[in-house]
Amino acid sequence: MEQFTLKEEVKLEGIGLHSGKYANILIKPAPVNTGIIFMRTDLPERPIIDAIVTNVIEVEREVIIGKDDVSVQTVEHLLAALTGLEIDNAIIEINGPEVPILDGSAKLIVEAIQKVGLKNQNKPKKIYRIREPLTIVKDETLLILLPSTQLKISYTIDFNHKALGAQYKTLIITPETFVNELASARTFGFEHEIEYLRSKGLIKGGSLENAIVVGENGVLNPEGLRFKDEFVRHK
């Protein structure tokens, strides 16, 4: 398998889900072996943060990556889009602290990238393979990794709520299945959590335009769900 980047740069803009701050991002092509890096163009010296696991500093309600007291919030939808489309190298310039939430999914990011297309860089990519089973348990969450020749994800959610309940989804992840089955699934939250999250300084930019909100009797968004099982697809 070979490395890919974008043919041209992609521009996106919007409000951050948690910070409520407006930001512009520019996703630019990058040379081979660059990986995915973020550049805070709003700060002196334009500091760079590599999108690698050792730079992850928060995963509770959002994924935040940081280095040397500089961070970028809510990177998960953008990184999912790049990974789902099998893009290896990109420089992401951002002039604020948080990636725009857009419509609450990876859909608009994917569509913008598809418009410019991808470039084969004719260099092999480094692939990590699972050699033996690995299990991680945290609170009520269980993650199991098993050896495989392809990326296959099986996910189960089980919420004590009649609008969600238990949902299960399994997919072999390819660019096609990511685009068609997962990219447009939106983030979600519960109406009863809103005040608590805002008291913690979160979801300042949240609305029915960028998240599914689940009330006591069901989904509050007028347009409803994009998939019957949109919740587990998003996870």
Side-chain angles (χ1 to χ4, degrees):
M1 298 179 68
E2 296 177 315
Q3 296 183 39
F4 280 82
T5 189
L6 292 79
K7 284 184 179 179
E8 301 175 23
E9 62 186 34
V10 166
K11 296 180 181 180
L12 294 164
E13 59 184 301
I15 194 171
L17 174 63
H18 294 295
S19 67
K21 295 182 178 179
Y22 203 87
N24 295 272
I25 61 172
L26 192 62
I27 311 171
K28 304 174 72 171
V32 295
N33 299 323
T34 298
I36 308 300
I37 64 174
F38 286 82
M39 178 185 294
R40 285 285 301 271
T41 58
D42 58 317
L43 298 177
E45 300 181 3
R46 298 162 70 94
I48 287 175
I49 305 169
D50 295 289
I52 54 178
V53 68
T54 51
N55 284 337
V56 175
I57 59 177
E58 177 63 60
V59 294
E60 197 63 35
R61 291 282 182 168
E62 57 183 320
V63 177
I64 304 176
I65 60 172
K67 184 179 180 182
D68 299 329
D69 298 322
V70 177
S71 65
V72 180
Q73 295 177 255
T74 320
V75 299
E76 55 266 36
H77 296 175
L78 176 52
L79 293 182
L82 295 174
T83 302
L85 295 175
E86 297 184 349
I87 296 171
D88 303 279
N89 304 300
I91 298 170
I92 302 160
E93 296 183 357
I94 180 167
N95 67 346
E98 183 175 16
V99 174
I101 190 62
L102 303 175
D103 73 340
S105 76
K107 179 177 182 287
L108 299 179
I109 303 170
V110 165
E111 290 176 350
I113 293 173
Q114 287 178 318
K115 284 182 180 179
V116 302
L118 305 184
K119 176 183 177 182
N120 188 330
Q121 296 180 287
N122 300 310
K123 292 287 183 179
K125 67 173 68 186
K126 181 182 289 186
I127 299 175
Y128 290 90
R129 298 193 184 276
I130 302 299
R131 300 292 186 185
E132 57 187 45
L134 176 65
T135 300
I136 300 170
V137 181
K138 182 179 180 183
D139 301 324
E140 297 181 347
T141 301
L142 170 66
L143 174 66
I144 301 174
L145 284 81
L146 301 171
S148 176
T149 57
Q150 56 195 356
L151 177 58
K152 180 180 181 181
I153 298 179
S154 300
Y155 204 100
T156 301
I157 59 172
D158 191 359
F159 287 89
N160 185 23
H161 194 291
K162 60 185 178 183
L164 281 76
Q167 294 185 2
Y168 172 81
K169 190 77 177 176
T170 184
L171 282 172
I172 295 172
I173 308 300
T174 65
E176 291 73 27
T177 58
F178 180 80
V179 171
N180 295 327
E181 305 285 347
L182 301 178
S184 60
R186 295 162 292 173
T187 191
F188 63 91
F190 297 93
E191 185 181 24
H192 68 81
E193 292 185 309
I194 291 176
E195 290 308 316
Y196 168 77
L197 293 174
R198 286 180 174 164
S199 73
K200 296 294 183 181
L202 300 173
I203 63 167
K204 294 178 181 177
S207 72
L208 294 177
E209 295 180 356
N210 54 38
I212 302 169
V213 179
V214 183
E216 183 178 352
N217 297 311
V219 173
L220 302 184
N221 304 63
E223 75 278 14
L225 298 174
R226 293 175 176 175
F227 305 94
K228 184 177 180 180
D229 59 351
E230 186 169 359
F231 304 106
V232 72
R233 289 175 189 249
H234 181 75
K235 292 293 187 183

